[in-house]
Amino acid sequence: MKTNLLYTLVGIVLGIFGFAVARQLQLGTLGSGTTITPNRLEQSTDLDQLKRQLELSQNRVRKLETLIGAASIANDKLNRIDRNDKNPNRIENLQELIDQAKPFIRALLEPEIEKALASGEFQGVGQFMRFADELGLSDTQRVALNDQFKALSRQRTEEFLEKLRDNETSLFGLMKESSEWENSLSPDIDAIYQENLSPEQFAQYEEKRLVEQTQRVADKADAQLDMLNNSIKDLSSSQQDQIYSIMARRSPYYKEEMEIQTESGPSPNQSPIESAEAMNTEIENVILPHQRDAWIQYKRRQDLLSGITGWAN
């Protein structure tokens, strides 16, 4: 798998502009991110419904092609940023660019969010119900979970709208926070399951959640390591194993009980890394002297992107 800046920028553009388009399908999840588990398409034997699903998929492909073109342009502009430019109004990084776009994004999202609040339809609730079939829940449990997730989605939607409307909250920070919640990084979701499941069912739920989050950590570390490999071409297998473990331990989804598997086996160090600075320090201890210049260029690119590689930093 190869991950480069183009795909990172596609994710960013999707997160900002595609967010409004996808809103009607994802309301209640509040945001977008590069590590979202897609909702399962409901199986149907109805020909008309299948045709509608096909048409929706084709429309999304066309939109994605447009966004890829926009991402390519954005990539070119990022490469041309002059770090020595002393203009006080210039954009330093992608976070500032996203924050300055808040009035435009607010105009796009506000009507759709208000529509969802008025209708009470939060389709993203289905994402949090995805364990129901695997756990063999009763109808009573399903109804209780659905109602509580719907109430939680309404609460989070109202909070999101309030922050979207003010002039103080960073749009970058708001989208990062929403992405984490969308990916179920929320103790509220676990608490709702625990309240409605038997001890045996909840133990099964925790096992499934750990497997899911471990895969999310692994996928993100893979993407970050691929990006670093594009900058430092001669990382040894040993270096890559060490750096992969470091990047995995920085993930907001990481838990100490996870076993981080590298090419050479389980990682010996399972402690989480609390900050991007600490992660960079550990990586720098692995980088060889002749790789320093490429590492500095990699960090510069990450600074321009404000650390967006799955909203990790």
Side-chain angles (χ1 to χ4, degrees), residues 5 8-13 16-17 74-75 78 81 83 91-101 170-172 300-309 311:
L5 181 58
T8 301
L9 288 168
V10 168
I12 295 164
V13 175
I16 300 174
F17 299 101
N75 180 29
L78 278 174
I81 290 179
R83 304 299 287 181
I91 300 296
E92 289 285 348
N93 52 44
L94 200 55
Q95 176 174 348
E96 292 186 10
L97 181 62
I98 291 174
D99 286 344
Q100 288 194 17
S170 161
L171 179 62
F172 178 90
R300 176 179 178 273
R301 178 62 59 86
Q302 292 304 298
D303 287 342
L304 288 174
L305 292 173
S306 303
I308 296 184
T309 309
W311 305 90

PDB file of all heavy atoms in Angstrom, residues 5 8-13 16-17 74-75 78 81 83 91-101 170-172 300-309 311:
ATOM      1  N   LEU A   5       0.927  12.356  -0.267  1.00  0.00           N
ATOM      2  CA  LEU A   5       0.259  13.601   0.088  1.00  0.00           C
ATOM      3  C   LEU A   5      -1.045  13.787  -0.661  1.00  0.00           C
ATOM      4  O   LEU A   5      -2.006  14.333  -0.123  1.00  0.00           O
ATOM      5  CB  LEU A   5       1.198  14.776  -0.206  1.00  0.00           C
ATOM      6  CG  LEU A   5       0.645  16.173   0.139  1.00  0.00           C
ATOM      7  CD1 LEU A   5       0.277  16.233   1.613  1.00  0.00           C
ATOM      8  CD2 LEU A   5       1.651  17.235  -0.211  1.00  0.00           C
ATOM      9  N   THR A   8      -3.739  12.110   1.221  1.00  0.00           N
ATOM     10  CA  THR A   8      -4.001  12.855   2.443  1.00  0.00           C
ATOM     11  C   THR A   8      -4.864  14.066   2.165  1.00  0.00           C
ATOM     12  O   THR A   8      -5.830  14.363   2.868  1.00  0.00           O
ATOM     13  CB  THR A   8      -2.670  13.310   3.078  1.00  0.00           C
ATOM     14  OG1 THR A   8      -1.875  12.158   3.363  1.00  0.00           O
ATOM     15  CG2 THR A   8      -2.923  14.076   4.366  1.00  0.00           C
ATOM     16  N   LEU A   9      -4.515  14.793   1.091  1.00  0.00           N
ATOM     17  CA  LEU A   9      -5.284  15.985   0.750  1.00  0.00           C
ATOM     18  C   LEU A   9      -6.689  15.637   0.280  1.00  0.00           C
ATOM     19  O   LEU A   9      -7.639  16.371   0.544  1.00  0.00           O
ATOM     20  CB  LEU A   9      -4.544  16.771  -0.332  1.00  0.00           C
ATOM     21  CG  LEU A   9      -3.287  17.482   0.169  1.00  0.00           C
ATOM     22  CD1 LEU A   9      -2.466  17.991  -1.005  1.00  0.00           C
ATOM     23  CD2 LEU A   9      -3.648  18.621   1.091  1.00  0.00           C
ATOM     24  N   VAL A  10      -6.851  14.504  -0.409  1.00  0.00           N
ATOM     25  CA  VAL A  10      -8.196  14.068  -0.786  1.00  0.00           C
ATOM     26  C   VAL A  10      -9.047  13.899   0.460  1.00  0.00           C
ATOM     27  O   VAL A  10     -10.198  14.320   0.517  1.00  0.00           O
ATOM     28  CB  VAL A  10      -8.137  12.745  -1.584  1.00  0.00           C
ATOM     29  CG1 VAL A  10      -9.529  12.149  -1.722  1.00  0.00           C
ATOM     30  CG2 VAL A  10      -7.553  12.993  -2.964  1.00  0.00           C
ATOM     31  N   GLY A  11      -8.464  13.285   1.493  1.00  0.00           N
ATOM     32  CA  GLY A  11      -9.199  13.106   2.738  1.00  0.00           C
ATOM     33  C   GLY A  11      -9.572  14.425   3.375  1.00  0.00           C
ATOM     34  O   GLY A  11     -10.672  14.584   3.905  1.00  0.00           O
ATOM     35  N   ILE A  12      -8.641  15.393   3.307  1.00  0.00           N
ATOM     36  CA  ILE A  12      -8.921  16.704   3.885  1.00  0.00           C
ATOM     37  C   ILE A  12     -10.035  17.400   3.126  1.00  0.00           C
ATOM     38  O   ILE A  12     -10.978  17.940   3.713  1.00  0.00           O
ATOM     39  CB  ILE A  12      -7.640  17.568   3.867  1.00  0.00           C
ATOM     40  CG1 ILE A  12      -6.578  16.943   4.792  1.00  0.00           C
ATOM     41  CG2 ILE A  12      -7.936  18.996   4.304  1.00  0.00           C
ATOM     42  CD1 ILE A  12      -5.191  17.472   4.547  1.00  0.00           C
ATOM     43  N   VAL A  13      -9.936  17.400   1.800  1.00  0.00           N
ATOM     44  CA  VAL A  13     -10.961  18.062   0.994  1.00  0.00           C
ATOM     45  C   VAL A  13     -12.310  17.381   1.194  1.00  0.00           C
ATOM     46  O   VAL A  13     -13.341  18.036   1.310  1.00  0.00           O
ATOM     47  CB  VAL A  13     -10.561  18.052  -0.496  1.00  0.00           C
ATOM     48  CG1 VAL A  13     -11.670  18.636  -1.344  1.00  0.00           C
ATOM     49  CG2 VAL A  13      -9.285  18.845  -0.706  1.00  0.00           C
ATOM     50  N   ILE A  16     -13.829  18.553   4.436  1.00  0.00           N
ATOM     51  CA  ILE A  16     -14.386  19.901   4.485  1.00  0.00           C
ATOM     52  C   ILE A  16     -15.572  20.065   3.536  1.00  0.00           C
ATOM     53  O   ILE A  16     -16.672  20.406   3.954  1.00  0.00           O
ATOM     54  CB  ILE A  16     -13.298  20.948   4.124  1.00  0.00           C
ATOM     55  CG1 ILE A  16     -12.137  20.848   5.113  1.00  0.00           C
ATOM     56  CG2 ILE A  16     -13.881  22.346   4.128  1.00  0.00           C
ATOM     57  CD1 ILE A  16     -10.967  21.728   4.760  1.00  0.00           C
ATOM     58  N   PHE A  17     -15.351  19.805   2.258  1.00  0.00           N
ATOM     59  CA  PHE A  17     -16.389  20.075   1.264  1.00  0.00           C
ATOM     60  C   PHE A  17     -17.329  18.885   1.051  1.00  0.00           C
ATOM     61  O   PHE A  17     -18.542  19.052   0.968  1.00  0.00           O
ATOM     62  CB  PHE A  17     -15.740  20.481  -0.060  1.00  0.00           C
ATOM     63  CG  PHE A  17     -14.909  21.723   0.059  1.00  0.00           C
ATOM     64  CD1 PHE A  17     -13.530  21.649   0.152  1.00  0.00           C
ATOM     65  CD2 PHE A  17     -15.508  22.965   0.113  1.00  0.00           C
ATOM     66  CE1 PHE A  17     -12.760  22.788   0.288  1.00  0.00           C
ATOM     67  CE2 PHE A  17     -14.737  24.118   0.249  1.00  0.00           C
ATOM     68  CZ  PHE A  17     -13.365  24.030   0.341  1.00  0.00           C
ATOM     69  N   ALA A  74      -4.386  21.719  -4.540  1.00  0.00           N
ATOM     70  CA  ALA A  74      -3.997  22.084  -3.177  1.00  0.00           C
ATOM     71  C   ALA A  74      -2.582  21.619  -2.867  1.00  0.00           C
ATOM     72  O   ALA A  74      -1.812  22.322  -2.213  1.00  0.00           O
ATOM     73  CB  ALA A  74      -4.986  21.476  -2.183  1.00  0.00           C
ATOM     74  N   ASN A  75      -2.251  20.431  -3.342  1.00  0.00           N
ATOM     75  CA  ASN A  75      -0.898  19.903  -3.141  1.00  0.00           C
ATOM     76  C   ASN A  75       0.132  20.833  -3.763  1.00  0.00           C
ATOM     77  O   ASN A  75       1.154  21.163  -3.158  1.00  0.00           O
ATOM     78  CB  ASN A  75      -0.818  18.501  -3.750  1.00  0.00           C
ATOM     79  CG  ASN A  75       0.567  17.882  -3.587  1.00  0.00           C
ATOM     80  OD1 ASN A  75       1.273  18.189  -2.636  1.00  0.00           O
ATOM     81  ND2 ASN A  75       0.932  17.021  -4.521  1.00  0.00           N
ATOM     82  N   LEU A  78       0.503  23.942  -1.633  1.00  0.00           N
ATOM     83  CA  LEU A  78       1.271  23.691  -0.416  1.00  0.00           C
ATOM     84  C   LEU A  78       2.763  23.647  -0.706  1.00  0.00           C
ATOM     85  O   LEU A  78       3.582  24.153   0.058  1.00  0.00           O
ATOM     86  CB  LEU A  78       0.824  22.373   0.218  1.00  0.00           C
ATOM     87  CG  LEU A  78      -0.429  22.407   1.088  1.00  0.00           C
ATOM     88  CD1 LEU A  78      -0.804  20.999   1.517  1.00  0.00           C
ATOM     89  CD2 LEU A  78      -0.235  23.296   2.302  1.00  0.00           C
ATOM     90  N   ILE A  81       4.426  27.151  -0.819  1.00  0.00           N
ATOM     91  CA  ILE A  81       4.420  28.057   0.326  1.00  0.00           C
ATOM     92  C   ILE A  81       5.851  28.488   0.649  1.00  0.00           C
ATOM     93  O   ILE A  81       6.748  27.657   0.791  1.00  0.00           O
ATOM     94  CB  ILE A  81       3.778  27.389   1.558  1.00  0.00           C
ATOM     95  CG1 ILE A  81       2.271  27.218   1.328  1.00  0.00           C
ATOM     96  CG2 ILE A  81       4.033  28.207   2.819  1.00  0.00           C
ATOM     97  CD1 ILE A  81       1.553  26.545   2.476  1.00  0.00           C
ATOM     98  N   ARG A  83       8.272  29.726   3.254  1.00  0.00           N
ATOM     99  CA  ARG A  83       8.378  29.829   4.709  1.00  0.00           C
ATOM    100  C   ARG A  83       9.066  31.124   5.133  1.00  0.00           C
ATOM    101  O   ARG A  83       9.013  31.489   6.311  1.00  0.00           O
ATOM    102  CB  ARG A  83       9.178  28.634   5.248  1.00  0.00           C
ATOM    103  CG  ARG A  83       8.617  27.284   4.856  1.00  0.00           C
ATOM    104  CD  ARG A  83       7.210  27.071   5.364  1.00  0.00           C
ATOM    105  NE  ARG A  83       7.187  26.842   6.798  1.00  0.00           N
ATOM    106  CZ  ARG A  83       6.088  26.613   7.497  1.00  0.00           C
ATOM    107  NH1 ARG A  83       4.924  26.617   6.912  1.00  0.00           N
ATOM    108  NH2 ARG A  83       6.149  26.407   8.790  1.00  0.00           N
ATOM    109  N   ILE A  91      -1.011  32.447   5.196  1.00  0.00           N
ATOM    110  CA  ILE A  91      -1.427  31.204   5.837  1.00  0.00           C
ATOM    111  C   ILE A  91      -0.198  30.383   6.207  1.00  0.00           C
ATOM    112  O   ILE A  91       0.645  30.108   5.355  1.00  0.00           O
ATOM    113  CB  ILE A  91      -2.341  30.388   4.899  1.00  0.00           C
ATOM    114  CG1 ILE A  91      -3.589  31.187   4.538  1.00  0.00           C
ATOM    115  CG2 ILE A  91      -2.712  29.055   5.541  1.00  0.00           C
ATOM    116  CD1 ILE A  91      -4.485  31.499   5.703  1.00  0.00           C
ATOM    117  N   GLU A  92      -0.070  30.008   7.470  1.00  0.00           N
ATOM    118  CA  GLU A  92       1.083  29.245   7.933  1.00  0.00           C
ATOM    119  C   GLU A  92       0.942  27.753   7.659  1.00  0.00           C
ATOM    120  O   GLU A  92       1.914  27.071   7.359  1.00  0.00           O
ATOM    121  CB  GLU A  92       1.285  29.451   9.440  1.00  0.00           C
ATOM    122  CG  GLU A  92       1.790  30.827   9.822  1.00  0.00           C
ATOM    123  CD  GLU A  92       3.263  31.005   9.508  1.00  0.00           C
ATOM    124  OE1 GLU A  92       3.927  30.000   9.214  1.00  0.00           O
ATOM    125  OE2 GLU A  92       3.742  32.147   9.554  1.00  0.00           O
ATOM    126  N   ASN A  93      -0.275  27.246   7.788  1.00  0.00           N
ATOM    127  CA  ASN A  93      -0.476  25.806   7.649  1.00  0.00           C
ATOM    128  C   ASN A  93      -1.954  25.531   7.351  1.00  0.00           C
ATOM    129  O   ASN A  93      -2.774  26.449   7.284  1.00  0.00           O
ATOM    130  CB  ASN A  93      -0.026  25.062   8.909  1.00  0.00           C
ATOM    131  CG  ASN A  93      -0.655  25.641  10.170  1.00  0.00           C
ATOM    132  OD1 ASN A  93      -1.849  25.926  10.205  1.00  0.00           O
ATOM    133  ND2 ASN A  93       0.157  25.823  11.201  1.00  0.00           N
ATOM    134  N   LEU A  94      -2.244  24.253   7.196  1.00  0.00           N
ATOM    135  CA  LEU A  94      -3.591  23.860   6.808  1.00  0.00           C
ATOM    136  C   LEU A  94      -4.612  24.155   7.897  1.00  0.00           C
ATOM    137  O   LEU A  94      -5.777  24.435   7.614  1.00  0.00           O
ATOM    138  CB  LEU A  94      -3.610  22.371   6.459  1.00  0.00           C
ATOM    139  CG  LEU A  94      -4.785  21.911   5.598  1.00  0.00           C
ATOM    140  CD1 LEU A  94      -4.889  22.700   4.314  1.00  0.00           C
ATOM    141  CD2 LEU A  94      -4.664  20.422   5.306  1.00  0.00           C
ATOM    142  N   GLN A  95      -4.210  24.097   9.163  1.00  0.00           N
ATOM    143  CA  GLN A  95      -5.140  24.404  10.239  1.00  0.00           C
ATOM    144  C   GLN A  95      -5.670  25.826  10.096  1.00  0.00           C
ATOM    145  O   GLN A  95      -6.868  26.073  10.236  1.00  0.00           O
ATOM    146  CB  GLN A  95      -4.469  24.233  11.603  1.00  0.00           C
ATOM    147  CG  GLN A  95      -5.390  24.633  12.756  1.00  0.00           C
ATOM    148  CD  GLN A  95      -4.799  24.332  14.117  1.00  0.00           C
ATOM    149  OE1 GLN A  95      -3.804  23.627  14.221  1.00  0.00           O
ATOM    150  NE2 GLN A  95      -5.416  24.851  15.160  1.00  0.00           N
ATOM    151  N   GLU A  96      -4.776  26.775   9.810  1.00  0.00           N
ATOM    152  CA  GLU A  96      -5.215  28.164   9.647  1.00  0.00           C
ATOM    153  C   GLU A  96      -6.133  28.303   8.437  1.00  0.00           C
ATOM    154  O   GLU A  96      -7.111  29.055   8.470  1.00  0.00           O
ATOM    155  CB  GLU A  96      -3.997  29.077   9.507  1.00  0.00           C
ATOM    156  CG  GLU A  96      -3.178  29.192  10.786  1.00  0.00           C
ATOM    157  CD  GLU A  96      -2.059  30.207  10.651  1.00  0.00           C
ATOM    158  OE1 GLU A  96      -2.039  30.943   9.639  1.00  0.00           O
ATOM    159  OE2 GLU A  96      -1.212  30.271  11.558  1.00  0.00           O
ATOM    160  N   LEU A  97      -5.833  27.566   7.367  1.00  0.00           N
ATOM    161  CA  LEU A  97      -6.662  27.623   6.170  1.00  0.00           C
ATOM    162  C   LEU A  97      -8.073  27.115   6.476  1.00  0.00           C
ATOM    163  O   LEU A  97      -9.070  27.734   6.087  1.00  0.00           O
ATOM    164  CB  LEU A  97      -6.027  26.782   5.066  1.00  0.00           C
ATOM    165  CG  LEU A  97      -6.758  26.737   3.720  1.00  0.00           C
ATOM    166  CD1 LEU A  97      -6.829  28.121   3.105  1.00  0.00           C
ATOM    167  CD2 LEU A  97      -6.070  25.764   2.786  1.00  0.00           C
ATOM    168  N   ILE A  98      -8.166  25.984   7.185  1.00  0.00           N
ATOM    169  CA  ILE A  98      -9.472  25.424   7.537  1.00  0.00           C
ATOM    170  C   ILE A  98     -10.225  26.362   8.479  1.00  0.00           C
ATOM    171  O   ILE A  98     -11.423  26.601   8.312  1.00  0.00           O
ATOM    172  CB  ILE A  98      -9.290  24.031   8.174  1.00  0.00           C
ATOM    173  CG1 ILE A  98      -8.799  23.040   7.113  1.00  0.00           C
ATOM    174  CG2 ILE A  98     -10.588  23.525   8.800  1.00  0.00           C
ATOM    175  CD1 ILE A  98      -8.450  21.670   7.657  1.00  0.00           C
ATOM    176  N   ASP A  99      -9.522  26.925   9.462  1.00  0.00           N
ATOM    177  CA  ASP A  99     -10.179  27.830  10.408  1.00  0.00           C
ATOM    178  C   ASP A  99     -10.732  29.077   9.713  1.00  0.00           C
ATOM    179  O   ASP A  99     -11.814  29.561  10.044  1.00  0.00           O
ATOM    180  CB  ASP A  99      -9.206  28.241  11.514  1.00  0.00           C
ATOM    181  CG  ASP A  99      -8.968  27.116  12.515  1.00  0.00           C
ATOM    182  OD1 ASP A  99      -9.772  26.158  12.525  1.00  0.00           O
ATOM    183  OD2 ASP A  99      -7.999  27.190  13.295  1.00  0.00           O
ATOM    184  N   GLN A 100      -9.979  29.586   8.734  1.00  0.00           N
ATOM    185  CA  GLN A 100     -10.450  30.771   8.025  1.00  0.00           C
ATOM    186  C   GLN A 100     -11.654  30.467   7.133  1.00  0.00           C
ATOM    187  O   GLN A 100     -12.417  31.362   6.774  1.00  0.00           O
ATOM    188  CB  GLN A 100      -9.315  31.370   7.188  1.00  0.00           C
ATOM    189  CG  GLN A 100      -8.244  32.040   8.032  1.00  0.00           C
ATOM    190  CD  GLN A 100      -7.313  32.912   7.205  1.00  0.00           C
ATOM    191  OE1 GLN A 100      -7.615  33.277   6.072  1.00  0.00           O
ATOM    192  NE2 GLN A 100      -6.176  33.268   7.778  1.00  0.00           N
ATOM    193  N   ALA A 101     -11.833  29.192   6.796  1.00  0.00           N
ATOM    194  CA  ALA A 101     -12.972  28.800   5.954  1.00  0.00           C
ATOM    195  C   ALA A 101     -14.245  28.574   6.765  1.00  0.00           C
ATOM    196  O   ALA A 101     -15.282  28.212   6.204  1.00  0.00           O
ATOM    197  CB  ALA A 101     -12.629  27.531   5.182  1.00  0.00           C
ATOM    198  N   SER A 170     -12.206  26.723  17.046  1.00  0.00           N
ATOM    199  CA  SER A 170     -11.445  26.385  15.841  1.00  0.00           C
ATOM    200  C   SER A 170     -12.201  25.330  15.040  1.00  0.00           C
ATOM    201  O   SER A 170     -12.588  24.282  15.579  1.00  0.00           O
ATOM    202  CB  SER A 170     -10.069  25.848  16.241  1.00  0.00           C
ATOM    203  OG  SER A 170      -9.474  25.113  15.187  1.00  0.00           O
ATOM    204  N   LEU A 171     -12.427  25.596  13.751  1.00  0.00           N
ATOM    205  CA  LEU A 171     -13.090  24.604  12.901  1.00  0.00           C
ATOM    206  C   LEU A 171     -12.217  23.361  12.767  1.00  0.00           C
ATOM    207  O   LEU A 171     -12.726  22.234  12.753  1.00  0.00           O
ATOM    208  CB  LEU A 171     -13.384  25.202  11.520  1.00  0.00           C
ATOM    209  CG  LEU A 171     -14.063  24.256  10.520  1.00  0.00           C
ATOM    210  CD1 LEU A 171     -15.422  23.816  11.026  1.00  0.00           C
ATOM    211  CD2 LEU A 171     -14.202  24.937   9.157  1.00  0.00           C
ATOM    212  N   PHE A 172     -10.924  23.551  12.685  1.00  0.00           N
ATOM    213  CA  PHE A 172      -9.995  22.430  12.618  1.00  0.00           C
ATOM    214  C   PHE A 172     -10.149  21.529  13.840  1.00  0.00           C
ATOM    215  O   PHE A 172     -10.279  20.310  13.736  1.00  0.00           O
ATOM    216  CB  PHE A 172      -8.565  22.974  12.527  1.00  0.00           C
ATOM    217  CG  PHE A 172      -7.489  21.926  12.500  1.00  0.00           C
ATOM    218  CD1 PHE A 172      -7.053  21.405  11.294  1.00  0.00           C
ATOM    219  CD2 PHE A 172      -6.893  21.469  13.674  1.00  0.00           C
ATOM    220  CE1 PHE A 172      -6.048  20.438  11.263  1.00  0.00           C
ATOM    221  CE2 PHE A 172      -5.894  20.513  13.646  1.00  0.00           C
ATOM    222  CZ  PHE A 172      -5.472  19.996  12.439  1.00  0.00           C
ATOM    223  N   ARG A 300       8.546  19.082   8.091  1.00  0.00           N
ATOM    224  CA  ARG A 300       8.070  20.346   7.539  1.00  0.00           C
ATOM    225  C   ARG A 300       6.748  20.142   6.812  1.00  0.00           C
ATOM    226  O   ARG A 300       5.798  20.924   6.946  1.00  0.00           O
ATOM    227  CB  ARG A 300       9.102  20.938   6.580  1.00  0.00           C
ATOM    228  CG  ARG A 300       8.634  22.216   5.895  1.00  0.00           C
ATOM    229  CD  ARG A 300       9.719  22.774   4.975  1.00  0.00           C
ATOM    230  NE  ARG A 300       9.248  23.965   4.293  1.00  0.00           N
ATOM    231  CZ  ARG A 300       8.582  23.971   3.147  1.00  0.00           C
ATOM    232  NH1 ARG A 300       8.292  22.816   2.565  1.00  0.00           N
ATOM    233  NH2 ARG A 300       8.192  25.090   2.582  1.00  0.00           N
ATOM    234  N   ARG A 301       6.670  19.064   6.030  1.00  0.00           N
ATOM    235  CA  ARG A 301       5.420  18.772   5.324  1.00  0.00           C
ATOM    236  C   ARG A 301       4.281  18.507   6.315  1.00  0.00           C
ATOM    237  O   ARG A 301       3.157  18.948   6.123  1.00  0.00           O
ATOM    238  CB  ARG A 301       5.622  17.579   4.394  1.00  0.00           C
ATOM    239  CG  ARG A 301       4.383  17.130   3.622  1.00  0.00           C
ATOM    240  CD  ARG A 301       3.868  18.223   2.692  1.00  0.00           C
ATOM    241  NE  ARG A 301       4.844  18.630   1.729  1.00  0.00           N
ATOM    242  CZ  ARG A 301       5.050  18.029   0.561  1.00  0.00           C
ATOM    243  NH1 ARG A 301       4.327  16.985   0.234  1.00  0.00           N
ATOM    244  NH2 ARG A 301       5.958  18.460  -0.280  1.00  0.00           N
ATOM    245  N   GLN A 302       4.591  17.798   7.396  1.00  0.00           N
ATOM    246  CA  GLN A 302       3.575  17.532   8.409  1.00  0.00           C
ATOM    247  C   GLN A 302       3.126  18.819   9.095  1.00  0.00           C
ATOM    248  O   GLN A 302       1.951  18.971   9.440  1.00  0.00           O
ATOM    249  CB  GLN A 302       4.114  16.542   9.444  1.00  0.00           C
ATOM    250  CG  GLN A 302       4.331  15.133   8.913  1.00  0.00           C
ATOM    251  CD  GLN A 302       3.063  14.548   8.306  1.00  0.00           C
ATOM    252  OE1 GLN A 302       2.062  14.370   8.988  1.00  0.00           O
ATOM    253  NE2 GLN A 302       3.101  14.268   7.019  1.00  0.00           N
ATOM    254  N   ASP A 303       4.077  19.756   9.280  1.00  0.00           N
ATOM    255  CA  ASP A 303       3.707  21.054   9.855  1.00  0.00           C
ATOM    256  C   ASP A 303       2.741  21.794   8.929  1.00  0.00           C
ATOM    257  O   ASP A 303       1.769  22.405   9.384  1.00  0.00           O
ATOM    258  CB  ASP A 303       4.944  21.907  10.089  1.00  0.00           C
ATOM    259  CG  ASP A 303       5.777  21.412  11.257  1.00  0.00           C
ATOM    260  OD1 ASP A 303       5.247  20.647  12.083  1.00  0.00           O
ATOM    261  OD2 ASP A 303       6.979  21.778  11.330  1.00  0.00           O
ATOM    262  N   LEU A 304       3.012  21.746   7.623  1.00  0.00           N
ATOM    263  CA  LEU A 304       2.134  22.406   6.667  1.00  0.00           C
ATOM    264  C   LEU A 304       0.742  21.798   6.712  1.00  0.00           C
ATOM    265  O   LEU A 304      -0.271  22.494   6.593  1.00  0.00           O
ATOM    266  CB  LEU A 304       2.702  22.294   5.260  1.00  0.00           C
ATOM    267  CG  LEU A 304       3.932  23.130   4.928  1.00  0.00           C
ATOM    268  CD1 LEU A 304       4.443  22.786   3.529  1.00  0.00           C
ATOM    269  CD2 LEU A 304       3.627  24.613   5.028  1.00  0.00           C
ATOM    270  N   LEU A 305       0.672  20.478   6.906  1.00  0.00           N
ATOM    271  CA  LEU A 305      -0.608  19.772   6.944  1.00  0.00           C
ATOM    272  C   LEU A 305      -1.225  19.790   8.332  1.00  0.00           C
ATOM    273  O   LEU A 305      -2.275  19.193   8.552  1.00  0.00           O
ATOM    274  CB  LEU A 305      -0.425  18.318   6.494  1.00  0.00           C
ATOM    275  CG  LEU A 305      -0.066  18.118   5.021  1.00  0.00           C
ATOM    276  CD1 LEU A 305       0.244  16.648   4.760  1.00  0.00           C
ATOM    277  CD2 LEU A 305      -1.195  18.590   4.133  1.00  0.00           C
ATOM    278  N   SER A 306      -0.569  20.465   9.272  1.00  0.00           N
ATOM    279  CA  SER A 306      -1.062  20.573  10.657  1.00  0.00           C
ATOM    280  C   SER A 306      -1.251  19.209  11.305  1.00  0.00           C
ATOM    281  O   SER A 306      -2.134  19.003  12.121  1.00  0.00           O
ATOM    282  CB  SER A 306      -2.388  21.355  10.705  1.00  0.00           C
ATOM    283  OG  SER A 306      -2.226  22.628  10.138  1.00  0.00           O
ATOM    284  N   GLY A 307      -0.408  18.251  10.905  1.00  0.00           N
ATOM    285  CA  GLY A 307      -0.449  16.938  11.538  1.00  0.00           C
ATOM    286  C   GLY A 307      -1.594  16.065  11.103  1.00  0.00           C
ATOM    287  O   GLY A 307      -1.872  15.053  11.738  1.00  0.00           O
ATOM    288  N   ILE A 308      -2.303  16.426  10.025  1.00  0.00           N
ATOM    289  CA  ILE A 308      -3.459  15.622   9.616  1.00  0.00           C
ATOM    290  C   ILE A 308      -2.984  14.375   8.888  1.00  0.00           C
ATOM    291  O   ILE A 308      -2.567  14.422   7.758  1.00  0.00           O
ATOM    292  CB  ILE A 308      -4.393  16.430   8.700  1.00  0.00           C
ATOM    293  CG1 ILE A 308      -4.971  17.611   9.451  1.00  0.00           C
ATOM    294  CG2 ILE A 308      -5.525  15.535   8.196  1.00  0.00           C
ATOM    295  CD1 ILE A 308      -5.970  18.411   8.650  1.00  0.00           C
ATOM    296  N   THR A 309      -3.024  13.263   9.576  1.00  0.00           N
ATOM    297  CA  THR A 309      -2.891  11.938   8.957  1.00  0.00           C
ATOM    298  C   THR A 309      -3.847  11.071   9.753  1.00  0.00           C
ATOM    299  O   THR A 309      -3.463  10.299  10.604  1.00  0.00           O
ATOM    300  CB  THR A 309      -1.463  11.389   9.039  1.00  0.00           C
ATOM    301  OG1 THR A 309      -0.541  12.368   8.565  1.00  0.00           O
ATOM    302  CG2 THR A 309      -1.323  10.137   8.198  1.00  0.00           C
ATOM    303  N   TRP A 311      -6.152  12.608  11.670  1.00  0.00           N
ATOM    304  CA  TRP A 311      -6.452  13.440  12.843  1.00  0.00           C
ATOM    305  C   TRP A 311      -5.785  12.885  14.088  1.00  0.00           C
ATOM    306  O   TRP A 311      -6.389  12.726  15.129  1.00  0.00           O
ATOM    307  CB  TRP A 311      -7.966  13.540  13.060  1.00  0.00           C
ATOM    308  CG  TRP A 311      -8.686  14.016  11.873  1.00  0.00           C
ATOM    309  CD1 TRP A 311      -9.204  13.243  10.885  1.00  0.00           C
ATOM    310  CD2 TRP A 311      -8.953  15.359  11.510  1.00  0.00           C
ATOM    311  NE1 TRP A 311      -9.790  14.036   9.939  1.00  0.00           N
ATOM    312  CE2 TRP A 311      -9.665  15.321  10.287  1.00  0.00           C
ATOM    313  CE3 TRP A 311      -8.696  16.586  12.099  1.00  0.00           C
ATOM    314  CZ2 TRP A 311     -10.098  16.479   9.661  1.00  0.00           C
ATOM    315  CZ3 TRP A 311      -9.125  17.733  11.470  1.00  0.00           C
ATOM    316  CH2 TRP A 311      -9.806  17.686  10.272  1.00  0.00           C
TER     317      TRP A 311
END
